[in-house]
């Protein structure tokens, strides 16, 4: 999964639709809802919202994101996603409402949203590292995450899926597109692919 996260960041950037919003969300678990269930429901609202705009535009807007959970006991999720620039203002207005519908009104420190600039190459890569820092300790050295892990400590154990990548950016999508991770390029995508052959970065 750690490598999948890194590849997803690279693939999105190579296709000129880099991940451009970083959301840190504190999740209020209950006896009825786990952190993973809460976040899945919020992601579902994001997917529905994109699907609505895709129908209006007549242009595919597949959800693009990576995520990882941290700090069991007081859980939060690091969610890095693609928001079409023309929809960014609407996304910022709707996100708190989606969260409130799933887990109740927001507290002052429940949500932080920042802009991600792919043009700042080192910062873009550093964010991918940060999201993946809770990987299995056996692989920290392999992925050059030892320093981050030492600084931030173990990220605990979660029930459910600890980290993930959207279907539009995962290995299946990358392989189907002909993406070569070593050469950082994208071949034309099949007409039946999840992502359109050409992507307008402004959509």
């Amino acid at each position: 999964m750690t490598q999948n996260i890194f590849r997803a960041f690279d693939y999105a950037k190579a296709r000129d639709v880099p991940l451009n919003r970083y959301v840190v969300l504190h999740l209020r678990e209950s006896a009825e809802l786990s952190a993973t269930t809460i976040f899945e429901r919020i992601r579902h609202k994001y997917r529905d919202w994109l699907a609505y705009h895709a129908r209006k535009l007549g242009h595919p807007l597949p959800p693009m994101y990576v995520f990882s959970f941290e700090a069991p006991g007081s859980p939060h999720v690091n969610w890095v996603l693609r928001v079409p620039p023309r929809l960014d203002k609407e996304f910022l207005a709707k996100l708190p409402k989606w969260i409130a519908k799933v887990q109740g009104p927001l507290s002052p420190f429940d949500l932080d949203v920042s802009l991600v600039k792919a043009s700042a190459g080192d910062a873009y890569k550093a964010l991918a590292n940060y999201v993946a820092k809770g990987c299995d300790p056996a692989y920290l050295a392999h992925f050059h995450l030892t320093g981050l892990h030492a600084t931030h400590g173990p990220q605990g154990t979660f029930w459910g899926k600890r980290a993930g990548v959207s279907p539009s950016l995962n290995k299946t999508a990358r392989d189907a597109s002909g993406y070569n991770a070593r050469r950082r390029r994208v071949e034309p995508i099949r007409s039946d692919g999840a992502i359109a052959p050409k992507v307008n970065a402004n959509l």
Side-chain angles (χ1 to χ4, degrees):
M1 179 53 71
T2 299
Q3 179 144 291
N4 202 12
I5 288 172
F6 291 154
R7 293 282 189 263
F9 268 84
D10 291 343
Y11 179 52
K13 186 176 180 180
R15 300 205 71 248
D16 294 325
V17 283
L19 303 176
N20 59 357
R21 278 291 176 183
Y22 174 37
V23 176
V24 180
L25 172 60
H26 288 261
L27 302 165
R28 297 199 295 274
E29 291 185 299
S30 67
E32 292 78 26
L33 291 176
S34 68
T36 53
T37 298
I38 293 169
F39 182 53
E40 195 283 329
R41 292 183 181 183
I42 293 167
R43 289 202 316 276
H44 189 76
K45 292 181 181 298
Y46 158 72
R47 291 194 300 267
D48 285 351
W49 172 70
L50 281 180
Y52 166 75
H53 281 286
R55 289 192 297 271
K56 284 179 62 178
L57 294 169
H59 189 289
L61 295 174
M64 298 180 177
Y65 59 82
V66 305
F67 69 87
S68 65
F69 289 99
E70 296 183 356
S74 180
H76 65 271
V77 64
N78 295 303
W79 184 23
V80 190
L81 66 158
R82 174 71 187 181
V83 178
R86 65 184 292 173
L87 300 177
D88 190 63
K89 184 176 180 180
E90 183 178 332
F91 171 79
L92 294 176
K94 285 188 173 293
L95 179 59
K97 297 176 182 178
W98 297 338
I99 297 167
K101 285 182 179 179
V102 174
Q103 68 173 19
L106 285 168
S107 297
F109 302 105
D110 279 350
L111 176 65
D112 183 71
V113 185
S114 56
L115 187 65
V116 178
K117 294 184 178 180
S119 56
D122 289 344
Y124 190 76
K125 181 178 179 180
L127 180 57
N129 290 346
Y130 186 83
V131 170
K133 67 185 181 295
C135 78
D136 187 322
Y139 298 98
L140 289 172
H142 175 76
F143 290 113
H144 307 289
L145 296 173
T146 305
L148 270 175
H149 186 81
T151 300
H152 297 279
Q155 299 304 313
T157 301
F158 279 82
W159 291 103
K161 192 173 184 180
R162 171 63 182 273
V165 171
S166 64
S168 60
L169 299 178
N170 68 13
K171 186 177 187 302
T172 300
R174 297 192 303 267
D175 289 348
S177 75
Y179 175 67
N180 185 317
R182 291 182 180 276
R183 295 170 62 184
R184 296 289 192 273
R185 66 184 178 86
V186 181
E187 299 294 348
I189 292 176
R190 299 187 321 241
S191 61
D192 61 348
I195 306 175
K198 296 292 183 181
V199 176
N200 185 335
N202 293 314
L203 288 175

